[in-house]
Amino acid sequence: MTALDTAGPAVTAGPAPSRNTKHSARRTTRKWGEISLFAGPAVLVYLIFVLLPVLLAAFYSFFNWNGLGPLDRFIGLDNYTRLLADPVFHRSVFNNFFIIVMSLLIQGPLAILVALLMNRPLRFRGLLRALIFVPYVLSEVTAGLAWQILLQSVPPNRWGPFDTLLRSIGIENPPAWLADQDVVMWTMFGILTWKYLGLAIILMLAGLSGVPEELYEAAALDGAGWWKTQWYITVPLLGPTIRIWAFLSIIGALQLFDMVWIVTGGGPLNASSTMAVYMVKNGLNVSQIGFGSAVAVVLFLISLVIALVYQRFALRRDLAGAITGGVR
Amino acid sequence: MTATTAITTRGAKTAVPRRRAGEGFDWGQPIVYVVALAVAAIAVGPVLYVFISGFRTNPDFFTNPAGMPDPWTADNYLRVLSNPTFWNQVFASTVTALGTTLGVMLFGVMAAFVIARYDFKGRQLLYAMFTTGLLFPLTISILPLTVLLRQLNLFGSWWGLIIPQVAFALPTTIIILVPFLRAIPGELEDAAMVDGTSRIGFFWRIMVPLSMPALMTVGVLAFVGSWNAYLLPLFVLQAGGAGSDSYTLPLGVQFFSTANGQDTTGVLSYTALAMLPAILFFTLAEKRIVGGLQGAVKG
């Protein structure tokens, strides 16, 4: 009865708008239904397995907890003070930054140089590129095990494959690549360069393929030599590629774990430990989830600050629209 | 006559852009080959060494670690190939990598479809949420994730690998897919609507087939990522108490190496065989991998 009453005037007042609202309401419901149907699974999995753990890490870092018993020993910032006072952690942070700085100083320029040289019509160009790219495709574990065997050295008389090779070309006393505390990080840097130089070269070659040919012809007409042309024309135009490579390299170096864990386990005497190795050693072997989480939070904060600063000053122009403004 | 010379020089210029007229011999060319070959040799040398040394016996290896096999023997390889654990690990890697790939492609394209082609409040937020995922790599969340997986009863199981790997691959996937889906012309959608297709039908019959190139790139990246993964299997399978028969290959190789430290050539052949799938897969998918990376740089 009441239903009829309310429906009555509405119909007389104007059937068109009423039907329209109903229709569009149904359409809106359907639209949201479709949206949640399509995006729902991804959002759910992402929230639970990517975002929630990060929040949990921040939460756990205030507890003394082994991950199993009740979470009731709140200790405030104690994990952080302990962490920041630990010389092994200092060494780990230093090692991460050592890899960052050396990569930027050596790996990048080396890759640019090789790419500049290779950026011309070559016979077997495809094959050469593929060969250079091989180390990048291998898992860190298989590559790491290979290097562990290649570089093993058991003094005084048992030389590993690499040392035997060096002796055959007259280098009698190579350092203990993996056993010398002062050498091990250089060794690690060498292995990482071997693994990631190919990727850098491929990226640089990709960047070079975007440099317009006419510029070279113009430079040649002006009488510029090869080096001058590269230095004043090619390298500046390669800027965006170099900046993105550097960003990927820095973030990768901050997360460095697999290779170190496989090749040295962080040794000898923590000399090759990194933040992630330090975290896993504490979290996995000693099962201190609270303390390990504090390491994760510090690692995250360092990465975040570097990422923000880098984006602000270097990547801003290149990424404008790529990450922040992707949806207009 | 002058016209012909002009044409030929221009032709030569496009073929070898940086060779200048009047230069007799391009000294750059041999140097380039030397450099490229040296880099390629350094890249491939250690890999070749592993494959070749797998054919050696341990006494032979320790007499001269840098030499060639004397005699050549396939014993090590046959031992690994007849080891059921090795095949179980190949199977584990295949299942988890395929599961991850399918999950990433399906969930990724569905979410990217919404972000690219629906107009709604919160769309930008949704996109931003996924892209910030780039700031949260697995390393940072591995410890709480382990606790979470234990509570969800996924600890020690392949699902405990697949689901988080899908989740962590979503940011890159969505960043690659959204522009691709948005570039598909709206007229196609209108035409489909006029023909009476629903949005869901449009998605399956038109969007998914059209976005296959981008989806393949995303799939290859997810597959390689999963195949090579170490940190997550280390925590979920090894720390989760799964037996070495359900380890993925990287974890299995590392386990074998730790357990058989004295048997160096055995470890080398196990490592070589574990490298093989990655190399084969790369030769098959090279264009996708390199193309995907180049696309990412070119923007």
Side-chain angles (χ1 to χ4, degrees):
Chain A
M1 187 59 190
T2 27
L4 264 180
D5 264 26
T6 33
V11 171
T12 41
S18 159
R19 215 175 55 211
N20 235 356
T21 341
K22 256 191 190 166
H23 189 64
S24 80
R26 210 185 311 136
R27 268 185 56 174
T28 316
T29 330
R30 215 178 86 194
K31 189 176 95 178
W32 282 104
E34 284 170 20
I35 289 174
S36 31
L37 184 74
F38 276 117
V43 170
L44 212 64
V45 164
Y46 180 78
L47 284 179
I48 296 176
F49 293 96
V50 177
L51 289 190
L52 180 63
V54 176
L55 296 176
L56 284 175
F59 181 63
Y60 292 157
S61 71
F62 299 113
F63 290 84
N64 180 356
W65 190 44
N66 64 8
L68 287 171
L71 185 68
D72 53 5
R73 282 150 73 195
F74 181 85
I75 53 167
L77 291 173
D78 279 11
N79 281 330
Y80 290 94
T81 46
R82 180 181 147 202
L83 172 69
L84 295 176
D86 186 352
V88 178
F89 185 69
H90 297 165
R91 176 80 203 218
S92 306
V93 179
F94 173 84
N95 284 340
N96 282 108
F97 280 89
F98 173 82
I99 297 293
I100 292 178
V101 172
M102 295 318 290
S103 302
L104 295 179
L105 287 183
I106 297 176
Q107 253 176 46
L110 201 61
I112 295 170
L113 191 67
V114 176
L116 288 178
L117 285 173
M118 282 184 71
N119 186 37
R120 58 174 74 199
L122 286 181
R123 251 171 231 276
F124 311 117
R125 182 182 161 121
L127 181 68
L128 284 172
R129 280 185 184 208
L131 291 179
I132 285 173
F133 202 53
V134 162
Y136 179 69
V137 191
L138 301 175
S139 70
E140 304 250 345
V141 174
T142 51
L145 285 174
W147 279 105
Q148 197 188 38
I149 291 177
L150 279 165
L151 294 174
Q152 61 181 319
S153 57
V154 191
N157 289 322
R158 263 180 56 188
W159 305 92
F162 191 65
D163 288 345
T164 314
L165 190 76
L166 289 180
R167 278 160 66 87
S168 73
I169 57 168
I171 301 169
E172 289 290 328
N173 280 310
W177 304 106
L178 300 175
D180 186 330
Q181 292 182 56
D182 298 326
V183 177
V184 67
M185 276 316 287
W186 290 97
T187 310
M188 205 53 77
F189 173 69
I191 298 176
L192 290 167
T193 303
W194 170 82
K195 182 120 177 23
Y196 290 101
L197 188 68
L199 172 71
I201 293 173
I202 297 291
L203 291 180
M204 299 301 171
L205 279 171
L208 284 174
S209 68
V211 177
E213 202 92 312
E214 296 78 44
L215 284 177
Y216 295 121
E217 295 179 9
L221 282 179
D222 289 347
W226 190 82
W227 285 108
K228 267 199 159 159
T229 314
Q230 304 303 325
W231 186 251
Y232 287 109
I233 295 179
T234 319
V235 173
L237 284 171
L238 205 51
T241 311
I242 297 173
R243 286 192 287 270
I244 289 180
W245 166 80
F247 186 66
L248 294 176
S249 175
I250 292 171
I251 295 298
L254 284 171
Q255 311 295 331
L256 181 60
F257 170 77
D258 292 12
M259 192 60 93
V260 177
W261 190 254
I262 295 293
V263 178
T264 66
L269 292 171
N270 296 310
S272 64
S273 182
T274 64
M275 283 188 272
V277 167
Y278 183 82
M279 180 187 80
V280 170
K281 256 195 183 157
N282 284 286
L284 186 73
N285 294 356
V286 197
S287 205
Q288 304 180 73
I289 300 285
F291 184 67
S293 295
V295 182
V297 170
V298 172
L299 173 54
F300 168 68
L301 290 177
I302 294 178
S303 311
L304 182 70
V305 168
I306 290 182
L308 290 179
V309 169
Y310 194 84
Q311 275 195 0
R312 175 78 180 75
F313 291 104
L315 276 184
R316 203 161 151 211
R317 277 171 304 157
D318 308 328
L319 285 184
I323 286 185
T324 41
V327 172
R328 272 163 289 123
Chain B
M1 182 62 203
T2 22
T4 353
T5 12
I7 287 167
T8 36
T9 17
R10 272 187 70 184
K13 236 177 206 165
T14 32
V16 187
R18 267 164 301 309
R19 177 188 278 184
R20 275 163 294 142
E23 199 177 10
F25 179 73
D26 184 2
W27 282 101
Q29 209 70 358
I31 295 173
V32 171
Y33 280 108
V34 169
V35 169
L37 280 173
V39 176
I42 293 170
V44 180
V47 181
L48 279 181
Y49 177 83
V50 171
F51 274 88
I52 293 173
S53 300
F55 287 101
R56 308 180 71 178
T57 62
N58 278 311
D60 173 33
F61 175 86
F62 284 115
T63 329
N64 176 17
M68 292 297 276
D70 180 29
W72 287 74
T73 165
D75 276 5
N76 291 317
Y77 283 111
L78 293 176
R79 240 182 332 133
V80 178
L81 290 173
S82 60
N83 180 355
T85 305
F86 173 78
W87 290 106
N88 286 333
Q89 290 167 355
V90 172
F91 181 68
S93 277
T94 312
V95 170
T96 49
L98 282 179
T100 305
T101 308
L102 288 177
V104 168
M105 287 168 78
L106 186 67
F107 286 12
V109 75
M110 281 161 56
F113 176 60
V114 166
I115 295 171
R117 305 203 70 104
Y118 276 77
D119 197 15
F120 62 97
K121 250 191 194 158
R123 184 177 68 156
Q124 200 149 2
L125 189 76
L126 194 64
Y127 188 69
M129 185 189 84
F130 280 116
T131 48
T132 39
L134 293 178
L135 287 174
F136 308 116
L138 181 63
T139 323
I140 285 164
S141 38
I142 187 71
L143 296 179
L145 186 64
T146 318
V147 176
L148 195 68
L149 291 172
R150 191 184 285 141
Q151 284 162 356
L152 294 172
N153 256 332
L154 293 170
F155 213 38
S157 87
W158 290 348
W159 286 113
L161 283 188
I162 295 174
I163 301 173
Q165 280 178 175
V166 169
F168 277 91
L170 280 173
T172 354
T173 305
I174 285 175
I175 288 173
I176 293 177
L177 286 179
V178 164
F180 203 91
L181 291 185
R182 188 174 296 134
I184 292 171
E187 288 81 26
L188 270 178
E189 194 167 351
D190 298 338
M193 293 298 177
V194 170
D195 289 349
T197 321
S198 67
R199 293 277 273 203
I200 295 172
F202 168 72
F203 170 76
W204 283 114
R205 280 190 233 138
I206 296 173
M207 284 307 243
V208 171
L210 280 180
S211 53
M212 262 307 157
L215 267 176
M216 292 307 289
T217 302
V218 161
V220 166
L221 290 178
F223 190 92
V224 175
S226 168
W227 189 276
N228 288 342
Y230 176 65
L231 182 63
L232 194 65
L234 177 70
F235 273 84
V236 174
L237 296 181
Q238 190 166 311
S244 62
D245 275 320
S246 55
Y247 283 3
T248 54
L249 213 39
L251 198 58
V253 183
Q254 203 257 340
F255 185 74
F256 184 87
S257 154
T258 316
N260 303 279
Q262 298 307 306
D263 178 13
T264 307
T265 55
V267 173
L268 282 166
S269 58
Y270 208 108
T271 310
L273 288 171
M275 283 176 170
L276 205 55
I279 293 177
L280 284 179
F281 183 75
F282 168 68
T283 9
L284 293 176
E286 187 209 340
K287 293 239 158 58
R288 286 262 167 252
I289 300 179
V290 176
L293 289 167
Q294 295 183 337
V297 171
K298 279 183 190 167

mmCIF file of all heavy atoms in Angstrom, chain A residues 89-113:
data_model
loop_
_atom_site.group_PDB
_atom_site.id
_atom_site.type_symbol
_atom_site.label_atom_id
_atom_site.label_comp_id
_atom_site.label_asym_id
_atom_site.label_seq_id
_atom_site.Cartn_x
_atom_site.Cartn_y
_atom_site.Cartn_z
ATOM 1 N N PHE A 89 77.275 -4.603 11.919
ATOM 2 C CA PHE A 89 76.301 -3.895 11.098
ATOM 3 C C PHE A 89 76.953 -2.712 10.391
ATOM 4 O O PHE A 89 76.667 -2.445 9.216
ATOM 5 C CB PHE A 89 75.108 -3.434 11.945
ATOM 6 C CG PHE A 89 74.022 -2.797 11.126
ATOM 7 C CD1 PHE A 89 73.262 -3.563 10.260
ATOM 8 C CD2 PHE A 89 73.774 -1.424 11.187
ATOM 9 C CE1 PHE A 89 72.267 -2.988 9.482
ATOM 10 C CE2 PHE A 89 72.789 -0.847 10.408
ATOM 11 C CZ PHE A 89 72.030 -1.625 9.554
ATOM 12 N N HIS A 90 77.828 -2.005 11.091
ATOM 13 C CA HIS A 90 78.549 -0.893 10.444
ATOM 14 C C HIS A 90 79.290 -1.389 9.204
ATOM 15 O O HIS A 90 79.245 -0.792 8.135
ATOM 16 C CB HIS A 90 79.551 -0.259 11.417
ATOM 17 C CG HIS A 90 78.904 0.345 12.610
ATOM 18 N ND1 HIS A 90 79.599 0.701 13.736
ATOM 19 C CD2 HIS A 90 77.608 0.643 12.862
ATOM 20 C CE1 HIS A 90 78.764 1.192 14.638
ATOM 21 N NE2 HIS A 90 77.551 1.163 14.119
ATOM 22 N N ARG A 91 79.986 -2.522 9.402
ATOM 23 C CA ARG A 91 80.744 -3.095 8.303
ATOM 24 C C ARG A 91 79.798 -3.454 7.152
ATOM 25 O O ARG A 91 80.111 -3.224 5.977
ATOM 26 C CB ARG A 91 81.464 -4.355 8.823
ATOM 27 C CG ARG A 91 82.221 -5.135 7.780
ATOM 28 C CD ARG A 91 83.563 -4.475 7.504
ATOM 29 N NE ARG A 91 84.057 -4.843 6.187
ATOM 30 C CZ ARG A 91 85.337 -5.076 5.919
ATOM 31 N NH1 ARG A 91 86.241 -4.924 6.855
ATOM 32 N NH2 ARG A 91 85.709 -5.393 4.712
ATOM 33 N N SER A 92 78.618 -3.989 7.509
ATOM 34 C CA SER A 92 77.659 -4.382 6.474
ATOM 35 C C SER A 92 77.194 -3.175 5.665
ATOM 36 O O SER A 92 77.152 -3.221 4.430
ATOM 37 C CB SER A 92 76.450 -5.074 7.108
ATOM 38 O OG SER A 92 76.869 -6.140 7.923
ATOM 39 N N VAL A 93 76.843 -2.095 6.364
ATOM 40 C CA VAL A 93 76.405 -0.886 5.666
ATOM 41 C C VAL A 93 77.528 -0.374 4.767
ATOM 42 O O VAL A 93 77.329 -0.032 3.599
ATOM 43 C CB VAL A 93 75.978 0.212 6.661
ATOM 44 C CG1 VAL A 93 75.558 1.476 5.927
ATOM 45 C CG2 VAL A 93 74.848 -0.282 7.538
ATOM 46 N N PHE A 94 78.743 -0.367 5.339
ATOM 47 C CA PHE A 94 79.896 0.081 4.561
ATOM 48 C C PHE A 94 80.034 -0.735 3.282
ATOM 49 O O PHE A 94 80.266 -0.188 2.200
ATOM 50 C CB PHE A 94 81.178 -0.036 5.407
ATOM 51 C CG PHE A 94 82.429 0.252 4.643
ATOM 52 C CD1 PHE A 94 82.857 1.563 4.466
ATOM 53 C CD2 PHE A 94 83.166 -0.774 4.061
ATOM 54 C CE1 PHE A 94 84.000 1.837 3.732
ATOM 55 C CE2 PHE A 94 84.314 -0.518 3.330
ATOM 56 C CZ PHE A 94 84.726 0.800 3.167
ATOM 57 N N ASN A 95 79.871 -2.067 3.404
ATOM 58 C CA ASN A 95 80.025 -2.931 2.237
ATOM 59 C C ASN A 95 78.977 -2.633 1.164
ATOM 60 O O ASN A 95 79.283 -2.622 -0.029
ATOM 61 C CB ASN A 95 79.940 -4.400 2.650
ATOM 62 C CG ASN A 95 81.216 -4.867 3.310
ATOM 63 O OD1 ASN A 95 82.274 -4.255 3.147
ATOM 64 N ND2 ASN A 95 81.130 -5.945 4.071
ATOM 65 N N ASN A 96 77.733 -2.392 1.588
ATOM 66 C CA ASN A 96 76.703 -2.019 0.613
ATOM 67 C C ASN A 96 77.114 -0.765 -0.151
ATOM 68 O O ASN A 96 76.999 -0.706 -1.376
ATOM 69 C CB ASN A 96 75.359 -1.758 1.309
ATOM 70 C CG ASN A 96 74.646 -3.049 1.680
ATOM 71 O OD1 ASN A 96 74.563 -3.409 2.847
ATOM 72 N ND2 ASN A 96 74.153 -3.751 0.686
ATOM 73 N N PHE A 97 77.630 0.216 0.598
ATOM 74 C CA PHE A 97 77.992 1.469 -0.070
ATOM 75 C C PHE A 97 79.260 1.320 -0.911
ATOM 76 O O PHE A 97 79.413 1.981 -1.922
ATOM 77 C CB PHE A 97 78.105 2.610 0.951
ATOM 78 C CG PHE A 97 76.759 3.157 1.316
ATOM 79 C CD1 PHE A 97 76.036 2.625 2.366
ATOM 80 C CD2 PHE A 97 76.175 4.160 0.553
ATOM 81 C CE1 PHE A 97 74.771 3.091 2.675
ATOM 82 C CE2 PHE A 97 74.905 4.632 0.851
ATOM 83 C CZ PHE A 97 74.201 4.091 1.913
ATOM 84 N N PHE A 98 80.139 0.406 -0.467
ATOM 85 C CA PHE A 98 81.324 0.109 -1.269
ATOM 86 C C PHE A 98 80.902 -0.387 -2.658
ATOM 87 O O PHE A 98 81.397 0.096 -3.683
ATOM 88 C CB PHE A 98 82.176 -0.954 -0.558
ATOM 89 C CG PHE A 98 83.342 -1.455 -1.368
ATOM 90 C CD1 PHE A 98 84.521 -0.742 -1.417
ATOM 91 C CD2 PHE A 98 83.248 -2.649 -2.082
ATOM 92 C CE1 PHE A 98 85.593 -1.204 -2.163
ATOM 93 C CE2 PHE A 98 84.313 -3.120 -2.836
ATOM 94 C CZ PHE A 98 85.491 -2.386 -2.874
ATOM 95 N N ILE A 99 79.931 -1.319 -2.684
ATOM 96 C CA ILE A 99 79.476 -1.862 -3.966
ATOM 97 C C ILE A 99 78.798 -0.771 -4.797
ATOM 98 O O ILE A 99 79.029 -0.665 -6.008
ATOM 99 C CB ILE A 99 78.515 -3.055 -3.749
ATOM 100 C CG1 ILE A 99 79.234 -4.211 -3.054
ATOM 101 C CG2 ILE A 99 77.932 -3.526 -5.081
ATOM 102 C CD1 ILE A 99 80.309 -4.873 -3.869
ATOM 103 N N ILE A 100 77.997 0.078 -4.145
ATOM 104 C CA ILE A 100 77.340 1.163 -4.878
ATOM 105 C C ILE A 100 78.369 2.058 -5.552
ATOM 106 O O ILE A 100 78.327 2.300 -6.764
ATOM 107 C CB ILE A 100 76.462 2.027 -3.936
ATOM 108 C CG1 ILE A 100 75.274 1.212 -3.437
ATOM 109 C CG2 ILE A 100 75.977 3.293 -4.644
ATOM 110 C CD1 ILE A 100 74.390 1.961 -2.462
ATOM 111 N N VAL A 101 79.338 2.539 -4.743
ATOM 112 C CA VAL A 101 80.306 3.506 -5.263
ATOM 113 C C VAL A 101 81.160 2.885 -6.365
ATOM 114 O O VAL A 101 81.357 3.467 -7.437
ATOM 115 C CB VAL A 101 81.182 4.051 -4.114
ATOM 116 C CG1 VAL A 101 82.321 4.895 -4.660
ATOM 117 C CG2 VAL A 101 80.333 4.860 -3.155
ATOM 118 N N MET A 102 81.651 1.657 -6.128
ATOM 119 C CA MET A 102 82.493 1.022 -7.131
ATOM 120 C C MET A 102 81.717 0.755 -8.423
ATOM 121 O O MET A 102 82.261 0.897 -9.512
ATOM 122 C CB MET A 102 83.072 -0.302 -6.601
ATOM 123 C CG MET A 102 84.023 -0.165 -5.442
ATOM 124 S SD MET A 102 85.194 1.183 -5.593
ATOM 125 C CE MET A 102 86.195 0.549 -6.889
ATOM 126 N N SER A 103 80.442 0.369 -8.282
ATOM 127 C CA SER A 103 79.641 0.122 -9.485
ATOM 128 C C SER A 103 79.527 1.392 -10.308
ATOM 129 O O SER A 103 79.703 1.380 -11.529
ATOM 130 C CB SER A 103 78.242 -0.364 -9.113
ATOM 131 O OG SER A 103 78.317 -1.526 -8.346
ATOM 132 N N LEU A 104 79.216 2.500 -9.612
ATOM 133 C CA LEU A 104 79.035 3.753 -10.344
ATOM 134 C C LEU A 104 80.349 4.211 -10.970
ATOM 135 O O LEU A 104 80.368 4.742 -12.080
ATOM 136 C CB LEU A 104 78.489 4.839 -9.412
ATOM 137 C CG LEU A 104 77.079 4.574 -8.863
ATOM 138 C CD1 LEU A 104 76.651 5.707 -7.939
ATOM 139 C CD2 LEU A 104 76.076 4.398 -9.993
ATOM 140 N N LEU A 105 81.463 3.992 -10.259
ATOM 141 C CA LEU A 105 82.747 4.478 -10.767
ATOM 142 C C LEU A 105 83.336 3.579 -11.849
ATOM 143 O O LEU A 105 84.018 4.059 -12.746
ATOM 144 C CB LEU A 105 83.758 4.598 -9.610
ATOM 145 C CG LEU A 105 83.547 5.745 -8.638
ATOM 146 C CD1 LEU A 105 84.656 5.774 -7.598
ATOM 147 C CD2 LEU A 105 83.501 7.080 -9.389
ATOM 148 N N ILE A 106 83.122 2.266 -11.732
ATOM 149 C CA ILE A 106 83.794 1.352 -12.652
ATOM 150 C C ILE A 106 82.834 0.668 -13.626
ATOM 151 O O ILE A 106 83.026 0.722 -14.836
ATOM 152 C CB ILE A 106 84.612 0.303 -11.860
ATOM 153 C CG1 ILE A 106 85.711 1.019 -11.062
ATOM 154 C CG2 ILE A 106 85.216 -0.730 -12.805
ATOM 155 C CD1 ILE A 106 86.521 0.123 -10.168
ATOM 156 N N GLN A 107 81.779 0.010 -13.054
ATOM 157 C CA GLN A 107 80.874 -0.748 -13.928
ATOM 158 C C GLN A 107 80.215 0.116 -14.994
ATOM 159 O O GLN A 107 80.203 -0.237 -16.174
ATOM 160 C CB GLN A 107 79.776 -1.383 -13.086
ATOM 161 C CG GLN A 107 79.913 -2.875 -12.928
ATOM 162 C CD GLN A 107 78.846 -3.407 -11.992
ATOM 163 O OE1 GLN A 107 77.672 -3.041 -12.108
ATOM 164 N NE2 GLN A 107 79.249 -4.254 -11.077
ATOM 165 N N GLY A 108 79.684 1.259 -14.567
ATOM 166 C CA GLY A 108 78.960 2.128 -15.491
ATOM 167 C C GLY A 108 79.833 2.605 -16.638
ATOM 168 O O GLY A 108 79.524 2.351 -17.811
ATOM 169 N N PRO A 109 80.963 3.286 -16.316
ATOM 170 C CA PRO A 109 81.840 3.753 -17.397
ATOM 171 C C PRO A 109 82.306 2.631 -18.313
ATOM 172 O O PRO A 109 82.359 2.799 -19.540
ATOM 173 C CB PRO A 109 83.020 4.362 -16.637
ATOM 174 C CG PRO A 109 82.450 4.781 -15.339
ATOM 175 C CD PRO A 109 81.396 3.788 -15.010
ATOM 176 N N LEU A 110 82.618 1.458 -17.717
ATOM 177 C CA LEU A 110 83.065 0.323 -18.515
ATOM 178 C C LEU A 110 81.971 -0.095 -19.507
ATOM 179 O O LEU A 110 82.234 -0.307 -20.700
ATOM 180 C CB LEU A 110 83.387 -0.845 -17.574
ATOM 181 C CG LEU A 110 84.309 -1.936 -18.084
ATOM 182 C CD1 LEU A 110 85.662 -1.360 -18.424
ATOM 183 C CD2 LEU A 110 84.456 -3.042 -17.043
ATOM 184 N N ALA A 111 80.742 -0.172 -18.996
ATOM 185 C CA ALA A 111 79.626 -0.586 -19.861
ATOM 186 C C ALA A 111 79.406 0.436 -20.976
ATOM 187 O O ALA A 111 79.179 0.070 -22.132
ATOM 188 C CB ALA A 111 78.355 -0.747 -19.035
ATOM 189 N N ILE A 112 79.491 1.727 -20.618
ATOM 190 C CA ILE A 112 79.297 2.770 -21.631
ATOM 191 C C ILE A 112 80.360 2.662 -22.712
ATOM 192 O O ILE A 112 80.070 2.708 -23.913
ATOM 193 C CB ILE A 112 79.328 4.170 -20.976
ATOM 194 C CG1 ILE A 112 78.147 4.329 -20.026
ATOM 195 C CG2 ILE A 112 79.314 5.265 -22.028
ATOM 196 C CD1 ILE A 112 78.224 5.556 -19.156
ATOM 197 N N LEU A 113 81.614 2.444 -22.273
ATOM 198 C CA LEU A 113 82.718 2.361 -23.223
ATOM 199 C C LEU A 113 82.517 1.197 -24.191
ATOM 200 O O LEU A 113 82.614 1.363 -25.420
ATOM 201 C CB LEU A 113 84.037 2.199 -22.458
ATOM 202 C CG LEU A 113 85.300 2.362 -23.291
ATOM 203 C CD1 LEU A 113 85.435 3.792 -23.766
ATOM 204 C CD2 LEU A 113 86.526 1.946 -22.490
#
